């Protein structure tokens, strides 16, 4: 089915999320919608899927104007969507999730679960998904859950399939599988809209590329276009994809984690015997697919997560068992992975957020009273230093853009003299301009002689910052490798393949290609 | 050294299931053995009557030596505790049937001791339990319909109260208890429609709305009671009561017959409601969609299910079910309406819902447990046993707290219950 969007405009108050967007997706085409986080890609697709109503513009399917009042209409018209955050009911089985919303019944209105099961099995067989219709969704790995989402769309005969940032939660190998599935689907006539901000994937799988920036289409490109060109279109100016950084000046190893174990509420070892050390003046990046214990590892270091065994020492002092405020006082700077929940109090002002963990000390308070003047002048300094775009220190932090919020967190943590800097997903949901800036600050902190630990699920970021890379999988560190390790090896390690085997397999692959 | 110890400990935590259950059972078993068995009155006889006068088949009353029976039952109880211990040691969970049998035997042991040198009718004890469980079960089912669709219903209490009021007034006017029975759901609906309006349409905090509506229901019924019913008691507040309906043949089965099938129509409606809801919830499109909306409304929305409409329907239906349960207080038992006569039963229904794990059959069983405790307390009050009957009243709630705290496995309700769904 051919999909055409003409002049789609969507406003949220004064913000124009989509500004007269035109888009044509031919039948059987994989059309990549490329743009930064916050460029308006997801808004556009939510309009197409009937979740939002467009203020202006029309949607055409096979040259026929259609109007969708809710996702039900879009589904009936043959549009399926795989959301970035899966729309699966965790406690339902695969079959129940697939049948939900278009249930077949028999007899006296009873659900026909057998029909749903057969449907799942048939589709799963056709694409080699290997799904068990009776498995409960919450017990499935994310890669498999995504397949359930795809089957869910296909079960309703989706002719247009929207994939919203489908690779964010996948290992590189799972990503390859997904791309193969996309090609198969396109070959059988399904039109695919592939939303992403990852250039590499676009080049690999797309037939055509539409680039969106600040809510408007800035151009189309062929997949053969060079990466630099695509990045420029996406960001709007020439971006240096890579931080200039000198080789690390390694000092003494002052931070040691040994045999650290964290057990979650249901008895799983989410961090399982993890050991590593970081020297002064080096960046260790922890790579891995989200949910492999990285969060728990950082939280255990900070002391908000109780660890079951092992030790964490900084400058010879045991941090394990300390309260978070004691850990911070010991010289640890910490950037949590979700700034809106753990890093900032969104209703507080920029100035208040800049001293959240410092406010009880001099000079920010005297006795029980806060020293507002000191807090204010600190805010002015930090805003200047970190180029935080805000109306002023008294503005609520929640009103800032993601990049500027992250600068606030980073500015607060880096404003003390540190003995260790831990940053989790330091640039998630941050615009490219700010990414550059934040990366430079992290490298500067390293060059000042602080051991730095970065946790990132983006291989690009890992490659850019790391002096060494530790790969985590299911709570363990698969291996710690040099920064120049090939991506393919890292990818295999992220799927749990040990270093040596990964190296061998990667070289074999190269041999096959030649 | 400490490090390795810690690691070993953590490993131990993972492989061995908790010994909490067997230990609790063991302690209870020893209490039963010592208190009701060894320290029981020597030479006393406990009499349990099993048949009622109306039964076709008469079974002679059971006369048991109090102390010997107590000791014998306690030994069986302790054996169950030991079996549970063995199971846990073998890495398995204590099965639910074991807990159920344990509970029944323990209560029986206690009863044997409490009724020493006296006599009590088992049939009327069970009959009464079921009857007292009726409003709790209806309230819990009403709450279940709400919560499974993602709306927490604290207002069960208010719905029971307005239901009771409506049933009394309409039954009095029509001089027919069944008219009251039909009116009750619509009075529950008054509270339910307000609950839906504020929580579903206006996204107000569900707990706050529920509490406010309960207070509102008390105010409303008290006002009409004072201004209308008191002065016109003979025309507006003297409803006939629902009669007992014998189900032919079934009601003649010893023990079970009179308990289950010699009841008022409300009890029979309850049976049907539990069966219909169980099938509806787990086997129909309606139930699947309701559960999806209660677990993950956005997912339901993206497959074309109207979340708001689903919640409206279920909140209204739930309030009608709870309202029907309210009829028990007036036409189902004492007749006339009295101020605040539901006396917190709505909250207990909520506890039954949780203890029953948001499952119709579970909710019914939990309601029966609470009903039994209530009846037992009445019976023991009459028999003048050494235990103050207030303690008996506390027991089911202590059980609930332990149950919800995780003694019988983690209790997990609908994930989205309590959260308003705001589109976009």
């Amino acid at each position: 089915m051919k999909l055409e969007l003409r002049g789609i405009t969507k406003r949220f108050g004064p913000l124009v999320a989509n500004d007269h967007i035109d888009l044509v997706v031919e039948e059987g085409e994989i059309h990549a919608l490329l743009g930064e986080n916050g460029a308006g890609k997801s808004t556009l697709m939510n309009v197409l899927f009937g979740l939002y109503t467009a203020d202006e513009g029309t949607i055409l399917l096979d040259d026929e104007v259609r109007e969708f009042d809710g996702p039900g209409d879009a589904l009936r018209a043959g549009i399926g969507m795989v959301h970035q955050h899966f729309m699966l009911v965790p406690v339902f089985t695969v079959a129940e999730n697939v049948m939900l919303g278009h249930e077949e019944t028999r007899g006296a209105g009873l659900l026909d679960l057998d029909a749903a099961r057969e449907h799942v099995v048939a589709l799963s067989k056709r694409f080699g998904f290997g799904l068990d219709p009776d498995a409960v969704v919450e017990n499935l790995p994310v890669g498999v859950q995504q397949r359930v989402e795809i089957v869910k769309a296909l079960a309703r005969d989706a002719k247009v399939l929207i994939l919203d940032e489908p690779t964010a939660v996948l290992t590189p190998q799972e990503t390859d599988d997904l791309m193969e599935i996309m090609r198969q689907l396109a070959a059988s006539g399904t039109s695919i809209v592939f939303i992403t901000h990852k250039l590499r994937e676009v080049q690999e799988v797309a037939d055509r590329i539409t680039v969106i920036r600040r809510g408007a289409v800035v151009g189309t490109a062929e997949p053969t276009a060079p990466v630099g060109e695509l990045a420029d279109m996406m960001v709007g100016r020439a971006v240096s994809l890579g931080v200039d950084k000198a080789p690390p000046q390694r000092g003494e190893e002052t931070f040691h984690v040994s045999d650290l174990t964290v057990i979650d509420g249901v008895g799983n070892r989410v961090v399982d015997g993890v050991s590593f050390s970081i020297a002064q003046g080096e960046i260790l990046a922890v790579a891995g697919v989200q949910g492999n214990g990285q969060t728990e590892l950082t939280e255990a270091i900070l002391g908000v997560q109780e660890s079951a065994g092992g030790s964490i020492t900084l400058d010879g002092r045991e941090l394990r068992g300390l309260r978070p405020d004691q850990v911070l006082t010991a010289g640890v700077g910490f950037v949590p992975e979700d700034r809106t929940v753990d890093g900032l109090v969104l209703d507080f002002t920029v100035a208040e957020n800049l001293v959240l963990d410092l406010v009880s000390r001099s000079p920010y308070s005297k006795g029980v009273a806060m020293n507002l003047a000191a807090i204010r002048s600190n805010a002015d300094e930090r805003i200047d230093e970190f180029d935080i775009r805000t109306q002023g220190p008294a503005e609520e932090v929640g009103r800032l853009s993601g990049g500027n919020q992250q600068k606030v967190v980073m500015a607060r943590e880096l404003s003390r003299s540190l003995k260790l800097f831990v940053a989790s997903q330091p640039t998630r949901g941050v615009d490219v301009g700010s990414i550059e800036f934040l990366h430079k600050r992290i490298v500067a902190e390293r060059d000042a002689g602080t051991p730095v630990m970065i946790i990132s699920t983006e291989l690009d970021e890992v490659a850019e910052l790391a002096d060494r890379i530790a790969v985590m999988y299911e709570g363990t560190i698969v291996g710690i490798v040099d920064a120049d390790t090939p991506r393919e090896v890292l990818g295999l390690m992220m799927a749990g393949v040990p270093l040596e085997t990964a190296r061998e397999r990667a070289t074999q692959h190269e041999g096959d290609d030649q | 050294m400490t490090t390795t110890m810690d690691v070993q400990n953590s490993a131990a935590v993972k492989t061995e299931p908790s010994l909490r259950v067997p230990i609790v059972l063991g302690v209870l078993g020893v209490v039963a053995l010592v208190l009701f068995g060894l320290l029981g009155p020597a030479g006393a006889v406990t009499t349990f009557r099993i048949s009622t006068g109306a039964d076709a088949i008469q079974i002679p009353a059971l006369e048991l030596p109090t102390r010997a029976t107590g000791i014998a039952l306690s030994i069986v109880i302790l054996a169950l505790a030991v079996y549970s211990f063995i199971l846990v040691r073998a890495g398995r969970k204590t099965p639910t049937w074991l807990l159920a049998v344990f509970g029944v035997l323990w209560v029986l042991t206690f009863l044997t001791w409490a009724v020493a040198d006296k006599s009590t009718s088992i049939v009327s004890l069970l009959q009464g339990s079921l009857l007292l469980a009726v409003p709790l079960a209806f309230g819990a089912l009403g709450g279940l319909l709400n919560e499974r669709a993602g709306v927490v219903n604290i207002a069960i209490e208010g719905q029971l109260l307005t239901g009771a009021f409506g049933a009394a007034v309409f039954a009095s006017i029509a001089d027919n208890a069944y008219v009251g029975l039909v009116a009750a759901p619509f009075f529950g609906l008054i509270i339910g429609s307000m609950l839906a309006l504020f929580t579903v349409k206006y996204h107000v905090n569900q707990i706050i709305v529920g509490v406010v509506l309960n207070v509102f229901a008390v105010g409303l019924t008290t006002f009409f009671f004072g201004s209308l019913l008191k002065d016109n008691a003979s025309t507006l507040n003297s409803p006939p009561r629902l009669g007992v309906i014998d189900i032919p043949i079934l009601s003649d089965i010893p023990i079970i017959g009179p308990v289950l099938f010699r009841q008022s129509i409300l009890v029979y409606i309850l049976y049907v409601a539990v069966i219909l809801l169980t099938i509806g919830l787990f086997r129909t499109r309606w139930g699947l969609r309701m559960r999806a909306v209660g677990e993950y409304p956005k997912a339901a929305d993206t497959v074309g299910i109207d979340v708001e409409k689903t919640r409206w329907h279920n909140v209204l239906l739930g309030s009608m079910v709870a309202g029907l349960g309210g009829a028990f207080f007036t036409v189902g038992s004492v007749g006339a309406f009295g101020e605040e006569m539901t006396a917190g039963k709505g909250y207990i229904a909520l506890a039954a819902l949780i203890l029953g794990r948001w499952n119709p059959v579970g909710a019914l069983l939990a309601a029966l447990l609470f009903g039994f405790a209530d009846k037992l307390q009445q019976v023991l009050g009459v028999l003048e046993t050494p235990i103050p009957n207030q303690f008996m009243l506390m027991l089911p709630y202590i059980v609930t707290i332990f149950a919800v705290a995780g003694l019988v496995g983690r209790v997990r309700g609908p994930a989205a219950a309590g959260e308003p769904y705001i589109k976009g």
Side-chain angles (χ1 to χ4, degrees):
Chain A
M1 190 153 43
K2 181 184 166 188
L3 165 74
E4 192 175 347
L5 301 179
R6 277 193 203 149
I8 297 287
T9 301
K10 175 70 189 170
R11 297 185 196 90
F12 295 105
L15 178 84
V16 184
N18 287 153
D19 186 7
H20 294 94
I21 290 188
D22 297 317
L23 180 75
V24 181
V25 184
E26 300 289 343
E27 181 165 323
E29 180 181 74
I30 301 179
H31 196 118
L33 202 54
L34 184 66
E36 285 188 70
N37 291 314
K41 296 165 297 184
S42 293
T43 306
L44 182 65
M45 289 305 120
N46 283 332
V47 168
L48 172 57
F49 196 57
L51 281 166
Y52 298 155
T53 326
D55 297 314
E56 284 169 44
T58 45
I59 299 168
L60 292 91
L61 288 176
D62 281 338
D63 299 319
E64 213 178 292
V65 177
R66 304 295 290 263
E67 270 180 34
F68 301 142
D69 181 24
D73 286 354
L75 287 165
R76 272 186 290 278
I79 296 175
M81 184 155 172
V82 174
H83 298 260
Q84 189 175 357
H85 304 286
F86 300 144
M87 291 299 154
L88 298 171
V89 180
V91 296
F92 281 12
T93 65
V94 170
E96 283 173 333
N97 266 296
V98 169
M99 79 197 295
L100 185 66
H102 64 133
E103 306 85 352
E104 284 174 50
T105 52
R106 63 176 173 200
L110 297 183
L111 289 174
D112 193 350
L113 260 173
D114 287 336
R117 274 193 203 106
E118 277 166 31
H119 216 135
V120 171
V121 171
L123 280 168
S124 158
K125 215 175 232 170
R126 197 168 121 210
F127 295 100
F129 284 179
L131 291 179
D132 171 8
D134 294 318
V136 176
V137 162
E138 65 185 344
N139 300 333
L140 297 175
V142 276
V144 179
Q145 290 192 15
Q146 190 172 59
R147 292 174 177 195
V148 177
E149 278 277 46
I150 293 172
V151 165
K152 204 171 121 187
L154 296 178
R156 297 163 154 265
D157 299 319
K159 302 289 191 311
V160 177
L161 187 62
I162 308 165
L163 299 165
D164 189 2
E165 298 276 2
T167 59
V169 291
L170 302 183
T171 65
Q173 274 68 28
E174 283 174 326
T175 301
D176 288 345
D177 291 345
L178 176 68
M179 293 196 179
E180 191 46 46
I181 291 164
M182 283 163 69
R183 288 192 196 97
Q184 267 188 62
L185 285 170
S188 64
T190 311
S191 312
I192 294 176
V193 183
F194 174 37
I195 303 177
T196 185
H197 65 274
K198 295 183 183 171
L199 300 167
R200 204 176 309 275
E201 294 168 4
V202 168
Q203 286 191 311
E204 196 171 316
V205 78
D207 296 317
R208 282 213 296 167
I209 301 166
T210 296
V211 186
I212 290 188
R213 187 174 75 233
R214 290 189 182 171
V217 172
V218 290
T220 53
E222 296 298 315
T224 48
V227 176
E229 195 180 298
L230 290 174
D232 289 353
M233 281 173 81
M234 206 162 94
V235 185
R237 62 186 165 82
V239 183
S240 70
L241 282 175
V243 178
D244 292 326
K245 87 180 184 319
Q249 301 293 317
R250 282 199 181 83
E252 202 190 327
E253 286 194 347
T254 52
F255 181 61
H256 301 274
V257 170
S258 70
D259 221 7
L260 186 70
T261 300
V262 176
I263 294 175
D264 71 4
V266 287
N268 292 322
R269 291 175 164 247
V270 282
V271 175
D272 191 1
V274 162
S275 303
F276 61 88
S277 301
I278 308 179
Q280 290 177 326
E282 84 162 340
I283 298 176
L284 176 78
V286 178
V289 177
Q290 200 168 349
N292 274 290
Q294 299 99 315
T295 310
E296 291 80 0
L297 171 62
T298 54
E299 287 181 354
I301 293 171
L302 184 65
V304 288
Q305 173 89 251
E306 201 182 324
S307 41
S311 79
I312 305 164
T313 57
L314 179 61
D315 271 348
R317 182 175 170 200
E318 177 67 51
L319 297 185
R320 214 186 130 220
L322 298 187
R323 292 190 312 266
D325 62 315
Q326 294 171 316
V327 173
L328 293 175
T329 317
V332 177
F334 185 83
V335 176
E337 70 178 21
D338 188 345
R339 62 180 160 269
T340 56
V341 177
D342 298 325
L344 298 165
V345 182
L346 295 181
D347 294 338
F348 280 16
T349 65
V350 172
E352 287 165 343
N353 271 290
L354 280 167
V355 293
L356 266 192
D357 57 339
L358 308 167
V359 73
S360 53
R361 325 176 195 175
S362 162
Y364 305 114
S365 46
K366 281 183 208 151
V368 293
M370 291 196 288
N371 182 350
L372 296 177
I375 291 172
R376 171 85 190 200
S377 72
N378 170 68
D380 287 333
E381 273 171 46
R382 294 283 99 71
I383 288 171
D384 216 35
E385 185 188 349
F386 278 81
D387 189 24
I388 301 167
R389 309 277 167 86
T390 164
Q391 289 169 9
E395 189 179 7
E396 276 175 25
V397 128
R399 299 173 67 94
L400 304 187
S401 73
N404 283 303
Q405 288 183 359
Q406 189 70 351
K407 284 179 182 174
V408 172
V409 178
M410 206 80 106
R412 178 182 68 220
E413 296 305 315
L414 292 174
S415 65
R416 301 178 279 143
S417 79
L418 297 180
K419 288 180 180 157
L420 172 72
F421 181 57
V422 180
S424 207
Q425 313 295 354
T427 59
R428 176 179 284 175
V430 166
D431 55 288
V432 173
S434 302
I435 290 180
E436 246 184 299
F437 180 85
L438 293 171
H439 280 180
K440 276 186 189 146
R441 290 300 312 212
I442 292 170
V443 173
E445 188 64 29
R446 174 199 78 162
D447 291 342
T450 308
V452 176
M453 178 176 168
I454 299 295
I455 293 84
S456 180
T457 49
E458 303 273 340
L459 266 186
D460 287 327
E461 180 163 71
V462 169
E464 216 156 282
L465 290 174
D467 298 317
R468 283 188 304 147
I469 302 169
V471 182
M472 270 191 97
Y473 175 73
E474 292 194 340
T476 60
I477 288 190
V478 183
I480 299 180
V481 295
D482 289 333
D484 57 2
T485 308
R487 266 163 194 277
E488 207 173 359
V489 176
L490 290 177
L492 287 166
M493 287 170 74
M494 279 160 75
V497 180
L499 175 60
E500 287 312 311
T501 329
R503 280 227 170 92
E504 272 168 39
R505 265 206 242 169
T507 36
Q508 258 176 20
H509 249 257
E510 267 166 42
D512 293 345
D513 289 347
Q514 277 157 9
Chain B
M1 196 55 214
T2 43
T3 329
T4 45
M5 281 292 290
D6 284 352
V7 172
Q8 278 166 355
N9 280 344
S10 63
V13 168
K14 200 187 166 188
T15 47
E16 261 182 48
S18 158
L19 283 172
R20 261 185 314 179
V21 175
I23 288 171
V24 170
L25 297 187
V27 169
L28 285 173
V30 171
V31 167
L33 181 65
V34 173
L35 229 54
F36 311 141
L38 300 177
L39 293 180
V45 174
T46 301
T47 312
F48 290 134
R49 280 175 279 125
I50 308 176
S51 292
T52 61
D55 285 0
I57 308 155
Q58 290 287 336
I59 301 174
L62 216 54
E63 287 181 13
L64 302 165
T66 305
R67 197 169 152 195
T69 313
I71 292 171
L73 284 170
S74 301
I75 287 168
V76 179
I77 285 173
L78 280 170
L80 283 172
V82 169
Y83 183 56
S84 156
F85 181 77
I86 293 169
L87 282 179
V88 169
R89 259 297 151 91
R92 287 167 51 198
K93 273 184 61 185
T94 310
T96 317
W97 67 258
L98 192 146
L99 293 177
V101 172
F102 184 93
V104 168
L105 288 180
W106 202 90
V107 170
L108 212 57
T109 315
F110 166 73
L111 211 56
T112 310
W113 170 76
V115 187
D117 275 340
K118 293 175 190 116
S119 132
T120 193
S121 163
I122 293 286
V123 170
S124 74
L125 179 66
L126 294 179
Q127 224 170 12
S129 307
L130 179 56
L131 205 59
L132 288 171
V134 167
L136 303 178
F138 274 112
L141 293 181
L144 184 140
L145 282 162
N146 282 254
E147 300 213 357
R148 280 285 188 173
V151 179
V152 170
N153 188 3
I154 301 287
I156 298 173
E157 175 77 3
Q159 292 165 354
L160 289 176
L161 192 60
T162 46
F165 177 84
V169 172
F170 275 74
S172 304
I173 292 170
D175 197 23
N176 183 336
Y178 292 95
V179 174
L181 208 57
V182 174
F186 294 96
F187 276 78
L189 199 59
I190 297 173
I191 303 294
S193 52
M194 280 192 276
L195 181 67
L197 183 71
F198 288 116
T199 60
V200 181
K201 188 157 166 59
Y202 294 115
H203 312 303
V204 183
N205 183 299
Q206 298 171 2
I207 308 289
I208 294 175
V209 174
V211 171
V212 168
L213 286 176
N214 284 339
V215 177
F216 172 74
V218 170
L220 194 71
T221 50
T222 306
F223 168 72
F224 282 115
F225 179 73
S227 62
L228 280 176
L229 302 196
K230 254 188 185 164
D231 300 336
N232 307 296
S234 57
T235 49
L236 293 179
N237 199 16
S238 48
R241 287 191 265 167
L242 292 170
V244 169
I245 301 172
D246 280 13
I247 306 270
I249 303 168
L250 289 176
S251 62
D252 290 332
I253 303 170
I255 305 177
I256 298 172
V259 172
L260 297 181
F261 303 107
R262 205 174 287 167
Q263 294 276 13
S264 84
I265 187 163
L266 256 178
V267 175
Y268 303 131
I269 296 177
L270 180 63
Y271 298 159
V272 175
V274 169
I275 293 168
L276 280 183
L277 258 181
T278 305
I279 295 172
L281 197 57
F282 299 109
R283 289 277 173 272
T284 69
R285 173 185 297 175
W286 169 75
L288 188 75
R289 292 184 172 191
M290 185 206 316
R291 285 186 289 137
V293 166
E295 290 287 346
Y296 193 179
K298 190 150 191 211
D301 194 4
T302 57
V303 291
I305 295 169
D306 190 331
V307 173
E308 217 170 89
K309 211 158 104 188
T310 309
R311 288 191 169 176
W312 264 100
H313 287 169
N314 282 291
V315 171
L316 295 185
L317 184 63
S319 72
M320 292 181 80
V321 172
L324 182 64
F328 165 84
F329 294 100
T330 48
V331 296
S333 57
V334 294
F337 180 81
E339 280 178 69
E340 295 182 51
M341 70 186 311
T342 47
K345 287 283 192 290
Y347 299 106
I348 295 159
L350 204 58
L353 173 62
I354 296 168
L355 187 60
R357 298 188 187 198
W358 288 268
N359 184 311
V361 176
L364 174 65
L365 293 176
L368 285 172
L369 176 70
F370 293 160
F372 177 74
D374 208 352
K375 182 68 191 176
L376 192 62
Q377 170 262 135
Q378 289 179 5
V379 168
L380 294 180
V382 173
L383 288 178
E384 291 172 349
T385 49
I387 294 188
N389 49 20
Q390 284 84 353
F391 282 100
M392 290 311 304
L393 264 182
M394 288 179 207
L395 192 67
Y397 310 120
I398 293 169
V399 168
T400 306
I401 288 176
F402 277 110
V404 176
L407 187 71
V408 289
R410 222 169 80 82
V411 180
R412 190 165 72 163
E419 288 169 26
Y421 180 62
I422 302 162
K423 237 180 139 137

